[in-house]
Amino acid sequence: MSADRGTDLVASVVAAIRGVVGPREGMVALHEPCFRGREWDYVKQCLDTGWVSSVGSFVNDFERHLQDLTGAKFAVATGTGSGALHVCLELAGVGRGDEVLVPALSFVATANAVAYTGAVPHFVDCEFTSLGLDPVALDAHLRDVAVPQGDGFVNRHTGRRLAAVMPVHMFGHPCQIEAIAEVAARYRMVLVEDAAESLGSSIRGRHTGTFGRLAALSFNGNKTVTTGGGGAILTSDAALAARAKHLTTQAKVPHRWEYRHDAVGYNYRLPNLNAAVGCAQLEQLPAFLASKRRLAARYAAAFAAVDGVRFVAEPADTQSNYWLCALLLDEGLDDLLEPLLAGTNDSGLMTRPAWSLLADLPMYLDAPRAALPVSTAVTRRLINMPSSPALCLDDVDGEGLA
Ligand SMILES: *Cc1c(COP(=O)(O)O)cnc(C)c1O
């Protein structure tokens, strides 16, 4: 591509994003939280009653609401999504000396949760449609490296047990979870979903996070719904749910006055104060989702007319929450990524590239990996665009808004 055409493309993208988000004061954030519901009221109730910590009615209400919303039989609220992932893996039986297959393209928390258990992340490639773990590449890689041993499989290069696979629903787009589940079952690996980004996303009506034995959600400040910091473990297995609650509350044996602990537990419970914010946020989720999907439709329409880029749309048969809207540069246009990031940010439109590949981070340089051509291409050609729930909120029904 000529320098002129590159400059034209950057100008077209800036104009398209500006056309969608409209004239706004100051920098348009990538994803900022929106508090237009009963947040103040619920937080005040916590302060007025003194129930601010890990016991309180908002925690229970928040969990019940998550169950209703996702269809998971149990939800256990945690202080962070990272903590939820950690406990999910521990409950999946992952431990020291195991390997867990994860996408190389994700937020660092995915791989870190594996490391917390003493296991090693084993990186696999993603596919271009959902940007999630590629079940075909996973299967081909396992045919190459997995050998049967005992009642499971080990990596023939490292001798370590292949204990679990943990795909991610990237930017809120459901990955090919059913095909991944089929591969996981064939190799006797537990399926755990990193659904941190995909609250409100589903596949033919079935919510993400209900396909694996366990799943983690996140309510960090930049996610679709926030509790300041927070997360949740989803499962439909009563024993695992009970164990999740036990481990996230320092494994304290219930008793009126005795302090006895029967395992190495964690202080991972979500405080009631944060759950209060979460309850108010979940009431607004339908409006947030409608707003985010409207924003995505506008981006899709605007970029249909721009040569050289593709708006990343939800895969067929799925409903995405469009947590972070994304653009992919066409093949061969890698050189335009930096000018595009500079041009948009200089124009007051916050954009950012995909995360660096987890497999390239210093602490994971020795971790096993498959070939990663698609993940590598995505890191060189993707930008995330302003995606806040408030951007189109005035155009949707005010359900749940005070
Ligand atoms: C946000 C996120 C997490 C971690 O959540 P925290 O609540 O920030 O600890 C994990 N995985 C992915 C893919 C995420 O985007």
Side-chain angles (χ1 to χ4, degrees):
M1 166 170 292
S2 68
D4 276 359
R5 241 198 97 197
T7 313
D8 287 351
L9 178 62
V10 172
S12 306
V13 170
V14 170
I17 299 176
R18 180 56 74 185
V20 168
V21 303
R24 279 168 201 268
E25 288 273 317
M27 194 80 183
V28 182
L30 195 72
H31 200 289
E32 61 189 358
C34 175
F35 304 112
R36 298 202 198 163
R38 300 199 173 86
E39 285 88 353
W40 280 107
D41 182 21
Y42 292 171
V43 167
K44 185 169 186 307
Q45 285 181 42
C46 292
L47 299 178
D48 288 344
T49 61
W51 292 103
V52 295
S53 195
S54 53
V55 178
S57 65
F58 286 114
V59 180
N60 298 331
D61 289 348
F62 187 59
E63 290 176 338
R64 241 189 323 270
H65 200 146
L66 289 175
Q67 289 161 200
D68 293 345
L69 195 88
T70 60
K73 286 212 180 90
F74 306 96
V76 177
T78 57
T80 63
S82 300
L85 280 177
H86 177 194
V87 171
C88 283
L89 288 169
E90 192 167 320
L91 292 175
V94 173
R96 198 156 296 284
D98 289 338
E99 289 182 8
V100 177
L101 291 128
V102 295
L105 186 69
S106 182
F107 179 55
V108 70
T110 307
N112 284 350
V114 175
Y116 298 160
T117 68
V120 175
H122 183 149
F123 299 109
V124 188
D125 209 12
C126 64
E127 35 86 11
F128 269 122
T129 306
S130 75
L131 306 179
L133 196 109
D134 182 350
V136 177
L138 174 69
D139 197 15
H141 182 62
L142 288 169
R143 256 199 313 271
D144 189 29
V145 304
V147 290
Q149 189 180 99
D151 44 6
F153 287 79
V154 298
N155 178 339
R156 68 183 171 87
H157 301 295
T158 64
R160 289 189 288 246
R161 185 171 78 105
L162 300 169
V165 53
M166 186 161 68
V168 179
H169 303 288
M170 280 282 289
F171 304 137
H173 301 316
C175 69
Q176 293 180 36
I177 191 72
E178 288 157 308
I180 294 167
E182 190 274 317
V183 177
R186 249 189 301 119
Y187 285 91
R188 311 264 171 83
M189 297 183 295
V190 181
L191 179 65
V192 176
E193 292 174 78
D194 182 342
E197 301 173 0
S198 66
L199 184 72
S201 302
S202 56
I203 301 170
R204 291 185 306 278
R206 182 168 166 189
H207 202 284
T208 52
T210 63
F211 294 82
R213 187 180 298 172
L214 294 140
L217 302 174
S218 168
F219 305 105
N220 192 28
N222 63 350
K223 295 300 195 318
T224 299
V225 154
T226 186
T227 56
I233 297 162
L234 301 180
T235 185
S236 286
D237 181 314
L240 288 178
R243 190 77 188 153
K245 193 154 173 184
H246 190 58
L247 285 179
T248 54
T249 51
Q250 294 286 29
K252 182 180 179 299
V253 181
H255 191 280
R256 282 170 66 200
W257 48 77
E258 256 179 35
Y259 264 70
R260 276 183 53 79
H261 307 264
D262 62 1
V264 177
Y266 308 100
N267 178 13
Y268 277 0
R269 196 75 173 136
L270 183 72
N272 202 46
L273 207 47
N274 300 75
V277 175
C279 286
Q281 287 272 288
L282 286 182
E283 290 169 5
Q284 298 160 84
L285 180 63
F288 289 176
L289 291 174
S291 169
K292 289 171 73 64
R293 291 181 59 79
R294 176 163 300 216
L295 178 72
R298 289 184 182 162
Y299 277 135
F303 287 110
V306 180
D307 267 351
V309 295
R310 162 169 82 82
F311 177 72
V312 180
E314 63 194 357
D317 287 338
T318 77
Q319 181 79 342
S320 175
N321 67 5
Y322 283 100
W323 172 52
L324 287 186
C325 288
L327 267 190
L328 257 183
L329 283 161
D330 286 354
E331 201 176 344
L333 300 187
D334 306 22
D335 287 352
L336 292 182
L337 185 72
E338 286 296 321
L340 206 50
L341 290 164
T344 44
N345 281 286
D346 289 349
S347 310
L349 302 164
M350 188 174 169
T351 61
R352 70 170 191 212
W355 301 286
S356 311
L357 284 195
L358 299 178
D360 290 341
L361 300 180
M363 58 288 194
Y364 297 124
L365 285 177
D366 293 333
R369 68 207 51 208
L372 304 169
V374 179
S375 309
T376 305
V378 170
T379 61
R380 291 180 183 157
R381 286 166 32 202
L382 182 135
I383 68 165
N384 286 123
M385 303 182 287
S387 306
S388 301
L391 284 173
C392 290
L393 205 52
D394 296 335
D395 311 332
V396 303
D397 284 356
E399 188 180 346
L401 304 175

